[in-house]
Amino acid sequence: MTVALFFLFLILFLTYRLADIQLISTTSFSKYQVNLIQESVDQRTHRFTINDGRGYFLDRDGELLSTDVRAQVIVFPNLYSSRWPIESVASILNLPTSNFTKKISELKKPSVLTLPKEISIEQMNEINKLEIPGLYAQLVTKRNLTPFANHILGAVGQDPDLIKRKYEDKLKKGTVTLHTKTGKNGMQYTFDPFLISEGETEYIYHVDRQGQPLFGLDVKFRSQSNPLYPLHVKTTLDKNMQEAVEETLDAHGVAEGGAVLIDIETNELLAMSSRPLFSSKTIYKHVDHMTSQQIPGSVFKIVTAAAAIEENKIQNNKLYNCNLNIYGKKDERQLGMLNIENSFTQSCNKTFGDLANELQKTDLEYMEKYAEKLGLLTHNGWQGKVYHLESFSHFYKEEVGQIYSSKKKSSDYKSPLATSQTAIGQLDVKVTPLAVANMMATIARGGVSYEVKSAKSVNFANGTELIKFEDHEKEGEKLSPYTVMRLQSLLMNVVKDEKGTAHALQALPFQVAGKSGTAQKGGDHRFNNKWFAGYFPAEKPRYALVIIDLKHDTVNRTIPVFRDIATEIMRETDS
């Protein structure tokens, strides 16, 4: 009896399971909400995607970024027959007939034919005139596996949960599926609402259980119904300058760090690169070092100098004992007695520690006040309302800077030593390289600060503008013109003076202004943060450039990297 009941319940369960699959949950089977009907159709469908329908990026001059569009020959091998005019096709492709036949026989599914060289548009049109079922020539769009401008542009991938959460309306309308690719990081993520595919362009045909084409069904061409899509984003990036930055970082062995290059006149991002590059396996573990907090070291002395100038604390005839460090002990560099200007040029820590303590007596919040004026504590990337997106941002997960840690009490920063450490960009001071680059652009421009743009516009497929990103001047207090002028002079002397920490840049055929910095990282004593932040040409500023090496040991890579990038940029500009 027990065995009979067991088999009865088993049969009932299997009957219910079969009914669930065949009749009840055909469009939302299991906790994964699988559409069984669609999956069944997909199993019987062979397809070749010509264009995934996702929007794309252009550089400032209209060149495609991280995407290739090439004329290619697509073959559906199951449709190959003796009726194909093999000789004619081989002649168009400049191939021996036997070679062409062999290439087709090696294909197991719809694929691009591997050819010795890329075909021309003329060859593509000649092949299509033959009207061969199963042989087509098309402009095929291919996304580069390792995207150009890796961190700033970002990558795409499948994320069904994000589709359900973010694009519920599109999912219901059928314009996207759970398999539609979305941005994972970088501008692919921030601009995803404009880039997400509205439908693929593809060749499809249906097959039977054995994989043979169903009789009477031809290969169908399916494309987006809206000719204005896909949209494209015209970025501010300069492809040649971005390549120069990438190649120079690699040539000098910058394993961790990167560079930011800004056009001073327009405050647009021309190039940005972070090392190491991410791969498909490390997208979620990886951060863009250029938009995340880093310890600035002596680059932060610009803030202390600005405060001292603005608060009238500078006396040029007053000398500071630069044979000592901020701990009152003998400094290894033994710089002697220096005034403030020479202290900035040679990067004397003792001077700026003493200055900070003097400033602290009259204004306990001066540090944050002047860091704020120089834009180091706020977002520096373009932000604003775009249609229904209330706080649209050009930069992915951009962090803001900090002077003090929220995990500590304010009393922890009141000692003279803590004040000195903060004044030279140590202790808990952290800023982003993007913010430092924007600070240099602001100083070079005379004190007016703007948000950094990474995109000029979002356009329809025919080039018509959908959105234009206007300039955003940053709000808040600004430094006085006199203070900015003094800062410009200090930054120029760092390079012009033979004892300056960046005097090696004197050899360039144009003048550079800037500030070097070395920051101890605390936890990892093997490496320091090494910076050089500057702008050029100093007498008529056009570019702000920041280099950071987060694994600085005994080799100073930042100055040579700055030199080589600046040289190449000026060559590009003058050519």
Side-chain angles (χ1 to χ4, degrees):
M1 184 67 178
T2 303
V3 174
L5 285 172
F6 170 76
F7 279 106
L8 177 62
F9 282 121
L10 180 60
I11 291 168
L12 288 172
F13 172 75
L14 291 175
T15 302
Y16 169 76
R17 189 66 170 169
L18 185 61
D20 188 34
I21 293 172
Q22 297 283 350
L23 303 171
I24 302 170
S25 302
T26 54
T27 59
S28 57
F29 180 70
S30 82
K31 64 179 181 180
Y32 299 106
Q33 302 292 296
V34 177
N35 188 324
L36 295 174
I37 296 174
Q38 184 61 48
E39 291 295 322
S40 175
V41 171
D42 288 344
Q43 276 189 333
R44 298 286 182 265
T45 303
H46 283 193
R47 64 185 75 226
F48 184 91
T49 302
I50 299 165
N51 187 313
D52 61 11
R54 185 171 178 81
Y56 49 92
F57 294 104
L58 303 176
D59 86 338
R60 65 195 297 107
D61 296 319
E63 284 196 56
L64 277 169
L65 296 176
S66 197
T67 305
D68 287 330
V69 179
R70 296 180 183 177
Q72 295 184 314
V73 179
I74 304 156
V75 177
F76 286 74
N78 285 353
L79 298 178
Y80 172 55
S81 73
S82 59
R83 295 192 302 274
W84 281 17
I86 298 298
E87 292 80 6
S88 299
V89 178
S91 175
I92 293 170
L93 297 175
N94 299 315
L95 286 175
T97 303
S98 58
N99 195 341
F100 179 70
T101 306
K102 184 175 182 295
K103 286 180 179 296
I104 293 176
S105 66
E106 292 171 348
L107 301 178
K108 304 299 180 187
K109 61 181 182 179
S111 308
V112 166
L113 203 63
T114 304
L115 299 171
K117 62 179 182 178
E118 190 174 334
I119 68 169
S120 66
I121 299 296
E122 290 75 18
Q123 288 173 303
M124 182 183 82
N125 292 333
E126 282 185 56
I127 288 172
N128 288 332
K129 284 178 184 176
L130 298 175
E131 297 184 349
I132 304 170
L135 183 73
Y136 312 96
Q138 281 284 350
L139 289 171
V140 178
T141 301
K142 184 181 179 182
R143 309 280 175 182
N144 297 343
L145 293 177
T146 302
F148 179 79
N150 190 281
H151 284 86
I152 182 64
L153 292 187
V156 296
Q158 292 182 356
D159 190 340
D161 290 334
L162 186 144
I163 290 285
K164 284 187 275 190
R165 184 176 68 251
K166 199 172 177 181
Y167 300 109
E168 185 180 359
D169 290 346
K170 290 179 179 289
L171 192 59
K172 286 179 180 177
K173 291 176 183 176
T175 55
V176 302
T177 70
L178 294 179
H179 304 299
T180 300
K181 290 182 178 180
T182 58
K184 311 305 289 181
N185 58 0
M187 292 175 74
Q188 289 283 11
Y189 181 90
T190 56
F191 283 82
D192 197 59
F194 304 106
L195 298 173
I196 191 165
S197 175
E198 296 285 336
E200 298 176 336
T201 300
E202 58 187 357
Y203 284 113
I204 59 173
Y205 81 111
H206 302 286
V207 298
D208 59 20
R209 187 175 298 177
Q210 282 72 43
Q212 297 302 312
L214 289 173
F215 182 77
L217 289 180
D218 296 324
V219 176
K220 291 182 171 59
F221 179 79
R222 184 170 69 184
S223 64
Q224 289 188 18
S225 57
N226 191 337
L228 294 177
Y229 286 80
L231 302 177
H232 60 265
V233 176
K234 189 170 186 181
T235 72
T236 62
L237 299 177
D238 184 296
K239 191 173 183 179
N240 293 333
M241 292 183 184
Q242 181 71 34
E243 286 174 346
V245 167
E246 304 269 9
E247 290 169 4
T248 307
L249 289 171
D250 290 341
H252 287 277
V254 179
E256 191 169 343
V260 182
L261 177 68
I262 293 175
D263 184 310
I264 290 173
E265 183 181 353
T266 62
N267 222 55
E268 294 175 345
L269 185 74
L270 294 172
M272 187 166 84
S273 184
S274 178
R275 290 293 186 276
L277 300 175
F278 65 77
S279 67
S280 58
K281 295 179 180 178
T282 60
I283 289 175
Y284 297 110
K285 300 175 185 176
H286 223 63
V287 295
D288 184 345
H289 292 308
M290 300 305 98
T291 55
S292 58
Q293 292 181 343
Q294 312 297 342
I295 306 168
S298 292
V299 168
F300 193 76
K301 288 174 184 172
I302 296 170
V303 175
T304 308
I309 297 167
E310 197 99 326
E311 300 295 331
N312 200 25
K313 297 293 183 184
I314 289 187
Q315 301 172 41
N316 285 329
N317 58 349
K318 183 176 180 179
L319 301 179
Y320 296 82
N321 188 355
C322 292
N323 290 325
L324 302 177
N325 58 28
I326 59 172
Y327 302 96
K329 297 178 181 180
K330 184 179 178 180
D331 191 272
E332 60 182 20
R333 291 193 298 157
Q334 292 294 287
L335 298 175
M337 302 298 292
L338 301 177
N339 63 14
I340 286 178
E341 185 169 298
N342 290 331
S343 293
F344 189 91
T345 299
Q346 298 178 51
S347 205
C348 169
N349 290 338
K350 177 65 173 170
T351 301
F352 288 88
D354 289 353
L355 265 178
N357 278 284
E358 189 177 342
L359 286 160
Q360 198 91 322
K361 292 175 184 176
T362 54
D363 187 354
L364 292 174
E365 298 178 354
Y366 91 89
M367 205 85 74
E368 287 182 311
K369 176 181 173 182
Y370 283 94
E372 189 84 41
K373 283 186 177 185
L374 284 163
L376 296 179
L377 305 184
T378 59
H379 287 108
N380 279 264
W382 193 99
Q383 289 189 327
K385 184 177 180 180
V386 178
Y387 291 123
H388 60 284
L389 304 170
E390 289 294 332
S391 54
F392 184 78
S393 174
H394 281 199
F395 290 85
Y396 175 71
K397 291 188 176 180
E398 181 198 352
E399 296 179 354
V400 297
Q402 67 172 46
I403 303 298
Y404 309 115
S405 171
S406 58
K407 297 177 182 178
K408 294 182 181 179
K409 300 175 184 176
S410 59
S411 57
D412 293 334
Y413 298 100
K414 289 183 178 177
S415 70
L417 178 58
T419 299
S420 294
Q421 289 174 319
T422 303
I424 62 171
Q426 290 284 174
L427 201 56
D428 294 311
V429 180
K430 292 181 181 179
V431 297
T432 70
L434 177 65
V436 173
N438 201 23
M439 173 180 72
M440 300 310 292
T442 299
I443 293 170
R445 201 165 36 234
V448 181
S449 183
Y450 295 91
E451 293 176 350
V452 182
K453 291 192 291 188
S454 66
K456 291 175 175 286
S457 60
V458 177
N459 304 325
F460 288 112
N462 63 5
T464 306
E465 277 185 1
L466 172 63
I467 301 162
K468 182 179 180 181
F469 297 106
E470 303 291 347
D471 294 343
H472 281 182
E473 185 174 340
K474 293 187 73 175
E475 298 177 352
E477 291 186 55
K478 295 175 175 56
L479 297 176
S480 69
Y482 174 75
T483 299
V484 173
M485 182 183 69
R486 287 293 302 271
L487 287 177
Q488 290 172 345
S489 176
L490 289 171
L491 292 168
M492 288 176 70
N493 285 339
V494 170
V495 178
K496 283 172 63 178
D497 195 301
E498 287 299 327
K499 293 182 179 180
T501 55
H503 70 275
L505 294 173
Q506 288 177 8
L508 289 172
F510 48 88
Q511 195 169 352
V512 173
K515 183 74 186 78
S516 60
T518 305
Q520 296 175 343
K521 300 173 80 164
D524 191 345
H525 297 290
R526 295 173 301 163
F527 302 112
N528 294 324
N529 288 354
K530 191 72 175 178
W531 296 71
F532 188 77
Y535 58 86
F536 59 94
E539 63 279 5
K540 205 172 182 182
R542 299 176 72 175
Y543 305 104
L545 175 61
V546 168
I547 312 295
I548 179 171
D549 181 2
L550 297 174
K551 281 195 172 180
H552 168 66
D553 37 34
T554 57
V555 180
N556 184 354
R557 301 177 185 88
T558 56
I559 298 291
V561 170
F562 188 101
R563 177 199 64 214
D564 290 356
I565 291 176
T567 300
E568 185 59 33
I569 298 306
M570 290 304 293
R571 186 182 294 125
E572 283 278 337
T573 304
D574 295 336
S575 63

